[in-house]
Each structure stands twice: as C-alpha cells, then as structure tokens.
C-alpha cells in the first residue's frame, strides 16, 4: 500500500506531474469539452486525496516518501542477488507486481516533472536491473 499511496500523490496531487502525466493520459483524451475536462480533473484529484486521507488526518509527503524508501529497501533485500523474486527461474506474479510499479516510475516516456520515487528506486540497482530484465523478458 505504501508505494500505491506515494504513486497516488505523485501522479494526482503533485500539480506539475498531474498536468504533465495524468491530465495528458486520463483527462484530455476523454473529451474535448473544457468544462468536462476541468470537472474530471478535480474529481480525479479529490479521489486520490480521499484515498490518502483514509489512513491519516493529513497528507505528509515526507512520510510518504520515507515509507516508499523503506518499501524499496525491503524489496531490494528480498530480491537480493537473484534474477527473480523467491529464487524462481522465471518471473512470477510477484515479479510482475513489482514490475508494474518500477516500470512506470522509471519510464522516462511518462513525462514526470518531479520523480522522487525514481530517485529512491535508483538507490537499489538490483531493482532497476530486475525491471530491465522483465522489459526484455516480455
């Protein structure tokens, strides 16, 4: 849940990223009507805010980033020097789940304006290499 919360904040509540990524991917393609676009943008941001506030009284970006850093550290430790999680000879469901996060975080084509998650993730070379392996595998 930690990475999900941090990604919600990064994608929907960081205004620069929202305008560069979420608006481009989710809002603008949905309609050409500017009023509908504006309403949809507000609804998406409010839904993300509501989700984050389910577990806390206020959104603490530093705490979210620290939790994400801890999550990356745990994943890195779990992966260790193995090519895939749990020493599997080929990627499993857990590998795919981790890849779903790491790929979007590291994908420069997403157009992130601020990507603190990428900075945190890149401290763990084994997770970056895991993402690269899965990109080639699939």
């Amino acid at each position: 849940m930690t990475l999900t919360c941090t990604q919600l904040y990064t994608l929907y509540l960081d205004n620069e990223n929202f305008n560069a990524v979420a608006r481009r991917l989710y809002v603008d393609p949905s309609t050409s009507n500017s009023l509908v676009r504006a309403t949809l943008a507000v609804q998406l941001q409010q839904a993300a805010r509501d989700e984050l506030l389910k577990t806390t009284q206020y959104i603490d970006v530093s705490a979210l980033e620290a939790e994400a850093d801890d999550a990356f550290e745990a994943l890195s430790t779990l992966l260790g020097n193995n090519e895939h999680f749990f020493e599997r000879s080929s990627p499993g469901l857990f590998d795919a789940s981790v890849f779903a996060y790491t790929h979007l975080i590291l994908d420069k084509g997403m157009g992130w304006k601020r990507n603190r998650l990428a900075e945190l993730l890149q401290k763990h070379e084994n997770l970056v290499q895991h993402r690269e392996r899965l990109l080639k595998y699939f």
Side-chain angles (χ1 to χ4, degrees), residues 68-80 85 94 124 126-127:
D69 195 28
D70 290 345
F72 289 138
E73 178 68 33
L75 288 169
S76 178
T77 299
L78 184 61
L79 180 59
F85 285 94
F94 193 79
H124 306 283
N126 63 339
L127 294 176

Side-chain angles (χ1 to χ4, degrees), residues 42-77:
V42 168
Q43 289 175 339
L44 284 171
Q45 290 182 307
Q46 188 60 51
R49 192 173 293 107
D50 290 347
E51 186 63 30
L52 291 173
L53 291 173
K54 284 181 180 178
T55 58
T56 184
Q57 292 188 354
Y58 65 96
I59 299 168
D60 182 345
V61 178
S62 296
L64 287 173
E65 290 174 353
E67 290 174 12
D69 195 28
D70 290 345
F72 289 138
E73 178 68 33
L75 288 169
S76 178
T77 299

Side-chain angles (χ1 to χ4, degrees), residues 74-120:
L75 288 169
S76 178
T77 299
L78 184 61
L79 180 59
N81 293 322
N82 300 309
E83 288 200 12
H84 308 292
F85 285 94
F86 311 116
E87 299 182 29
R88 293 176 53 104
S89 60
S90 61
L93 181 59
F94 193 79
D95 292 279
S97 297
V98 171
F99 175 79
Y101 286 98
T102 59
H103 178 62
L104 293 178
I105 291 168
L106 295 175
D107 185 1
K108 294 187 188 318
M110 291 292 291
W112 300 111
K113 295 298 179 186
R114 277 193 288 262
N115 197 347
R116 179 73 175 125
L117 286 174
E119 293 171 17
L120 297 171

